[in-house]
Structure formats: C-alpha cells, structure tokens
Amino acid sequence: MTPDTAEHPQMSVEDFEELVRRAPRELRNRLEFLGGRLCIRHGPLDVDEFEELAEAAPETVRLEYISGRVVVKAMPDGNHGEIFMWLLRQCMQQRPELNLMPERGVKAENYRKGRAITDGFLAPVGHFRGHGNWSETDGALMAVEITSRDRDTDQRDRVDKPVGYAEADIPVYLLIDRDNDTVTVYSEPKDGRYQQSPSYPWGAIVEIPSPVNITLDTEKLKDYAD
C-alpha cells in the first residue's frame, strides 16, 4: 500500500525551511511545503534553475529533476545501505577495473534535460575525474536504484527512471525492489525504451548482461527484507 504523504513527508519542516533559507533569492518565494510535499509555485523550474536550487540544498535534502518536476529523493536507511554495500562488493570482486560510484548525479532523459541521483553508477575507474555535480552518461555501464520507503518510489524508480535512463542510452538499469523483493534488469536501450526487463525473486541467480557482465547470487538480499 502506498503511504500517505502527510504521514511520510518528503522532508521535514526543518529541512524545508533550511532549503528556503539557502535557495537563490529569486527562487525562495516559489517554494512551498504542502501536505508534506515540496511544491513549486508560478510554473515549473527550468533545468538551470533546478541546478541552482539543488546546489544550495542542505546535505539532508537530495533533489532530482524528473520529467520537468522537482522530486525529493528519500535518504537511505540501514537496509538500503547494506544492500548497496553488498552490490558494491560483487562489482569489485568480478570487475575490479570498474567503480560503482554511490549517489552520483547524472544527466538523464532526452537531450540530457533530466537530473537524477543514482544510488549507484557503474563506470571505469577514473571515469568521473573532473566531473561536476551532474555527469554525462556517455561511457557509463549501469545505473542502480534501490527502492526506499517513500510515496514517490513507484512513479520515480519503476516508471520515470527506466524511461529517463533509456533515453540517455545507459546500457543497463538495475532496480533492486524492496517492496516486492525482486531484482529487475533493464537492458538494450533503443528509441528511449529498454527492450529487455526481466525480474527475478530475491534468492535467484541474476545474470547482468553486457557490457556489465556480472553474475549476482541474490540469496543475501533476503537478509535485508523489511
């Protein structure tokens, strides 16, 4: 069941007030906090305005720009962090020439107009040297998302991000879904859609295709079921 935003707000009132305090002056009066949700007054922000706002945000607030909307990404809890570290170890053991960079901002969607914070972004060692807050997706192998306990997970991780990552030609999108204990492997982006998206229950052996070429024994994920 999807939680109510008022019961599970995107951020605390204190974080919202700090965001407003830090925001560029011309954006402050456009920010509202209604029913536990960050809202933008007087029409949507453009991507440049969003980047200014995201750069000013406090460390406890992670902002994404998806389909022209400002979205607050939930802070990771303990199980989320343990799952990421499990995946990191698998990547390091099987592909030591690659880095799984945590919480990497990337330019997604058509014409790189989206701004997403991946839970993990797999690329060759040294790939991100010299990058700013938001990386181009060229040369990266895989984006990773681990679902969180927030209202926006369904739309963000299961609907919007498969489209945004495919449009940016990220070869593989790995979704570790804590709501239904599955792993979904999206691959073969073409014309803004992934052509393949098989799902596997936790405990299965999951083959992540080229160019990633990693095999995951997901039995360990059962330890982090909520």
Side-chain angles (χ1 to χ4, degrees):
M1 181 178 296
T2 301
D4 183 78
T5 308
E7 296 179 0
H8 299 271
Q10 292 181 329
M11 65 174 78
S12 68
V13 173
E14 292 77 13
D15 280 343
F16 171 75
E17 291 175 347
E18 182 66 11
L19 176 64
V20 172
R21 189 184 70 81
R22 295 183 179 213
R25 185 178 301 273
E26 63 274 14
L27 297 181
R28 290 175 188 169
N29 67 352
R30 297 180 62 185
L31 304 179
E32 290 185 307
F33 195 53
L34 300 175
R37 182 180 293 277
L38 176 65
C39 301
I40 308 297
R41 301 174 60 198
H42 310 308
L45 301 183
D46 62 35
V47 69
D48 294 328
E49 291 173 325
F50 167 78
E51 288 190 351
E52 287 188 73
L53 181 64
E55 186 172 356
E59 292 182 358
T60 51
V61 176
R62 303 185 300 168
L63 300 179
E64 299 182 295
Y65 190 68
I66 298 175
S67 300
R69 308 185 316 275
V70 178
V71 178
V72 180
K73 183 168 182 173
M75 297 297 290
D77 59 19
N79 281 354
H80 185 289
E82 290 288 351
I83 291 171
F84 175 81
M85 293 306 298
W86 165 81
L87 180 61
L88 174 63
R89 287 192 297 273
Q90 305 309 306
C91 293
M92 291 181 65
Q93 291 167 6
Q94 298 182 50
R95 297 293 304 274
E97 76 280 14
L98 303 177
N99 276 340
L100 183 63
M101 188 71 69
E103 298 189 11
R104 184 65 214 159
V106 301
K107 298 179 181 180
E109 302 180 8
N110 276 329
Y111 313 110
R112 305 300 196 265
K113 289 295 186 182
R115 297 293 182 268
I117 300 175
T118 60
D119 286 325
F121 205 41
L122 188 70
V125 170
H127 177 83
F128 299 107
R129 182 171 51 244
H131 287 207
N133 293 339
W134 308 99
S135 292
E136 298 286 349
T137 59
D138 301 337
L141 280 66
M142 179 173 70
V144 177
E145 298 292 348
I146 302 164
T147 61
S148 298
R149 298 302 189 192
D150 69 284
R151 176 175 180 159
D152 297 320
T153 282
D154 185 60
Q155 181 69 32
R156 182 183 63 237
D157 294 333
R158 303 186 188 105
V159 179
D160 292 333
K161 286 194 172 179
V163 173
Y165 292 156
E167 288 177 346
D169 288 324
I170 298 173
V172 176
Y173 167 39
L174 180 67
L175 174 61
I176 300 177
D177 197 321
R178 297 166 60 197
D179 288 332
N180 51 34
D181 298 346
T182 61
V183 174
T184 302
V185 183
Y186 297 85
S187 64
E188 299 180 23
K190 181 180 179 181
D191 299 328
R193 295 292 186 274
Y194 285 110
Q195 304 304 299
Q196 305 294 329
S197 57
S199 292
Y200 307 88
W202 289 7
I205 302 297
V206 177
E207 301 285 347
I208 303 182
S210 179
V212 179
N213 296 319
I214 287 174
T215 300
L216 299 176
D217 181 351
T218 65
E219 184 68 26
K220 185 65 176 177
L221 291 178
K222 294 180 181 180
D223 292 347
Y224 309 121
D226 296 302

